[in-house]
């Protein structure tokens, strides 16, 4: 089995992070200074068909 590079690991959701409200929460200045934060990207599909 091939050893995976750390950067190739699958993204995971931490235990307890189950609601959109928690994901939308910004990191505190102290967390940012320590590098203790994760960038969250949200993808939403526009289901309105203009045709």
């Amino acid at each position: 089995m091939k050893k995976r590079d750390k950067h190739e690991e699958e993204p995971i959701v931490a235990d307890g992070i189950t609601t959109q409200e928690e994901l939308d929460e910004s990191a505190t200045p102290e967390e940012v200074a320590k590098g203790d934060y994760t960038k969250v990207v949200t993808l939403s599909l526009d289901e309105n068909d203009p045709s």
Side-chain angles (χ1 to χ4, degrees):
M1 179 175 254
K2 181 180 171 185
K3 185 176 180 180
R4 287 187 170 195
D5 185 36
K6 185 176 182 178
H7 297 287
E8 293 180 10
E9 293 178 4
E10 293 293 321
I12 58 170
V13 176
D15 292 337
I17 304 296
T18 57
T19 66
Q20 188 62 39
E21 184 177 300
E22 291 171 324
L23 293 173
D24 288 338
E25 209 172 286
S26 295
T28 66
E30 293 82 16
E31 290 170 329
V32 173
K34 292 191 299 186
D36 188 20
Y37 66 95
T38 302
K39 181 177 179 179
V40 176
V41 178
T42 303
L43 173 67
S44 63
L45 300 175
D46 185 1
E47 296 182 22
N48 294 325
D49 186 11
S51 59

